[in-house]
Amino acid sequence: MKDFNNHPYHEIYYRYSDNYGDTWSDRILLSTIESVPEEWGSFEPSAYADSSGNIFTIWYDNKNGSECYHAGEIYGIKSNDNGHNWSDEFRLSYTGG
């Protein structure tokens, strides 16, 4: 998705609701914005949450220079408190970039 603050790159965001969807938090940027061509960036996120408040999110990212859209590295980030705070992102794959 596009950064809604006029940033041209695709990035991964998270929002949460503490009241069953009546209101939502501000957007939380999970991926790191990098200076890559506009059609690159972060894409195809997937998330897993458990009943203990742990959330693990992964996505493809071309920040390491991959020029093939679907050959980016896999990055992840985790939260242990229902998405209120997040770890630094971490790289899960190494395909050469």
Side-chain angles (χ1 to χ4, degrees):
M1 86 172 96
K2 298 282 185 173
D3 181 331
F4 294 104
N5 296 316
N6 297 319
H7 197 282
Y9 307 117
H10 298 79
E11 298 300 339
I12 308 302
Y13 293 86
Y14 175 79
R15 294 179 82 175
Y16 63 88
S17 173
D18 289 329
N19 55 16
Y20 303 101
D22 286 336
T23 60
W24 291 88
S25 69
D26 290 336
R27 290 180 304 270
I28 300 168
L29 178 64
L30 299 183
S31 56
T32 302
I33 297 174
E34 300 291 334
S35 296
V36 296
E38 184 173 332
E39 68 273 10
W40 298 2
S42 306
F43 54 98
E44 295 189 16
S46 182
Y48 168 79
D50 66 22
S51 60
S52 298
N54 299 303
I55 304 171
F56 183 67
T57 302
I58 60 172
W59 64 89
Y60 287 103
D61 203 303
N62 284 318
K63 71 178 80 222
N64 299 103
S66 175
E67 294 183 18
C68 180
Y69 185 71
H70 286 286
E73 300 295 346
I74 299 172
Y75 276 79
I77 195 168
K78 66 180 179 175
S79 171
N80 298 321
D81 61 1
N82 291 306
H84 294 274
N85 297 286
W86 292 86
S87 69
D88 291 335
E89 68 180 20
F90 45 89
R91 192 172 174 181
L92 294 166
S93 66
Y94 294 87
T95 60

